[in-house]
Each structure stands twice: as C-alpha cells, then as structure tokens.
C-alpha cells in the first residue's frame, strides 16, 4: 500500500510518540524535538530532494522519515536512531506500507544520529542535512540555561537560520545570523563541528558541496 506523508501526519499514534519523546528530552534538558523540529525537517529534506528532481515517491518517503526520525527518544535518548527505526518498522508495517518503502524509511532513521550517522542513500542524506541544520533560538526551552549550557547558548544566539540550495552551483548552504554578544562564533564550532562534517558528507552524497555562512562570512 502507498502510505502518504499526509496519512502519517494524521496518525494519532505517531503524534503520541513524538509528544512523549519530546517530554522526555525536556526533562533531560535538551532542546526542542517536537512538531516544529520534525515538521521543519520533513519540509527541508523533502524539498531538497524535490528540487534535485528525485521521484515524487522518494520525496514522500523522505518526508515520512524526517517526520518520524526522533520517535526513538520515547524509549531513551541513547541509541534513539535504532529504537526509532524499530518503532517505525512496526508502525508503518501495521499501516500497510510496502516492505521496500518501509526499508527506505527505517534506513534513513537508523542512520541519522550524530555518533553513528552516515548518508547511506539519498533519503538518509537529506534527513541528515535537514536535522543538523535546524539551529534556531526557538528551540531553547529555558533562557536561564544560556549562561551555563553551551548548546542552549549557541541555539539562542541564532537570530536567523536559512538553508539554500543552489542547483547551478551545486551547493547547499546553511546561512546563520548569530548574535555574538550571546555566543562567539567559535562556540558554534566547538559544539557543531561534527555535525557540519556530517552535513558535508551528506551533501556530497547528493552531488553537492556543503557551505556554512555565519554573519556573512563563508566558513566552510
């Protein structure tokens, strides 16, 4: 059966897992991983493949994978990519999704986490790029933490965040405006260097070069 992104969005079961997973991350002090994050990932990842002329069905599967990629946090933050892929397998199989489509979705989910991430295919690559470039002030839950938590400080310092695909130039750029009174640019690299290197690998999988623009300076 051809399970659509719209059908996945309407699933009360998936909504419950996303909500509870984010509640656990809130208790642990992590940034927002709820609907704003996963829907943004679905939009950025899906739009990227669409703009690169991937088949509409591939784009649809990419949006589904991006929307569901963090549900494993409902089990535990540790190994959440693996637990999330396992959960997605059960959910999507129960919904009647074709095995090949299930395989595409769970492969991407299972390869998105920082420590084990790898762009094994186009869907995984697009998901990595969408996930790792979601840096923004609104993901910070508690402004009091920005004085001592570097992750929150870096996210809070970001006043503008955009991703731009240049098809002709074959580049995918994360463009940030950072308030350097809140966070030094060096702090961003201290926290996100590994993620930016992942983005470089993911972009290469799609035939692109990843670029990072901070305050008008091209740093990667």
């Amino acid at each position: 059966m051809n399970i659509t992104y719209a059908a996945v969005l309407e699933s009360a079961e998936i909504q419950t897992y996303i909500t509870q997973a984010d509640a656990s991350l809130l208790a642990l002090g992590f940034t927002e991983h709820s609907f704003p994050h996963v829907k943004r990932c679905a939009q950025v990842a899906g739009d990227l493949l669409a703009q690169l002329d991937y088949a509409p069905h591939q784009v649809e599967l990419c949006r589904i994978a991006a929307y569901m990629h963090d549900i494993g946090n409902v089990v535990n933050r540790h190994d959440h990519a693996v637990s999330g892929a396992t959960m997605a397998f059960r959910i999507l199989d129960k919904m009647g999704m074709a095995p090949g489509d299930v395989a595409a979705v769970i492969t991407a989910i299972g390869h998105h986490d920082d420590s084990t991430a790898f762009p094994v295919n186009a869907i995984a690559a697009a998901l990595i790029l969408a996930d790792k470039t979601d840096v923004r002030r609104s993901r910070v839950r508690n402004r009091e933490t920005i004085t001592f938590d570097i992750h929150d400080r870096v996210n809070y310092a970001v006043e503008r965040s955009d991703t731009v695909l240049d098809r002709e130039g074959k580049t995918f750029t994360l463009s940030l405006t950072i308030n350097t009174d809140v966070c030094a640019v060096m702090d961003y690299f201290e926290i996100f260097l590994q993620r930016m290197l992942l983005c470089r690998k993911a972009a290469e999988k799609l035939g692109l070069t990843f670029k990072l623009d901070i305050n008008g300076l091209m740093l990667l």
Side-chain angles (χ1 to χ4, degrees), residues 30 35 45 69 90 94 112 124 151 159 172 180-181 183 201 207:
F30 284 93
F35 297 103
H69 79 278
R90 182 181 183 278
K94 188 172 61 174
H112 87 272
H151 289 85
E159 297 179 337
F172 182 83
T180 54
D181 290 335
C183 159
K201 288 181 182 178

Side-chain angles (χ1 to χ4, degrees), residues 20-201:
Q20 185 54 54
D22 186 57
S24 296
L25 293 179
L26 172 60
L28 290 167
F30 284 93
T31 52
E32 176 265 317
H33 284 71
S34 190
F35 297 103
H37 172 61
V38 298
K39 287 183 177 180
R40 180 192 182 278
C41 287
Q43 180 177 345
V44 171
D47 288 356
L48 175 57
L49 291 193
Q51 291 163 14
L52 291 173
D53 296 327
Y54 280 81
H57 188 58
Q58 283 271 88
V59 172
E60 196 81 350
L61 293 176
C62 184
R63 294 195 198 279
I64 291 170
Y67 180 72
M68 298 180 70
H69 79 278
D70 271 337
I71 61 173
N73 285 300
V74 75
V75 178
N76 196 288
R77 177 67 179 171
H78 184 66
D79 287 338
H80 75 279
V82 175
S83 55
T86 304
M87 290 173 64
F89 166 79
R90 182 181 183 278
I91 295 165
L92 296 173
D93 181 62
K94 188 172 61 174
M95 290 175 71
M97 180 178 276
D101 291 348
V102 173
V105 170
I106 65 175
T107 295
I109 293 174
H111 288 86
H112 87 272
D113 188 35
D114 289 11
S115 59
T116 57
F118 196 85
V120 294
N121 57 33
I123 293 176
L127 171 54
I128 288 170
L129 284 167
D131 184 33
K132 307 313 173 192
T133 58
D134 187 16
V135 187
R136 51 188 163 82
R137 175 170 290 187
S138 56
R139 295 192 72 184
V140 178
R141 326 265 202 158
N142 184 355
R143 294 185 183 182
E144 294 177 3
T145 61
I146 66 174
T147 58
F148 61 84
D149 186 301
I150 192 169
H151 289 85
D152 282 350
R153 185 161 65 253
V154 167
N155 276 280
Y156 189 77
V158 176
E159 297 179 337
R160 183 186 58 82
S161 174
D162 297 301
T163 53
V164 180
L165 170 67
D166 179 353
R167 286 186 53 169
E168 188 173 325
K170 295 186 177 181
T171 62
F172 182 83
T173 303
L174 171 61
S175 180
L176 302 175
T177 299
I178 289 180
N179 184 336
T180 54
D181 290 335
V182 177
C183 159
V185 172
M186 198 64 199
D187 288 345
Y188 180 89
F189 276 99
E190 181 181 343
I191 294 301
F192 291 119
L193 179 59
Q194 182 184 3
R195 296 182 186 182
M196 296 302 97
L197 293 176
L198 276 174
C199 285
R200 177 181 286 175
K201 288 181 182 178

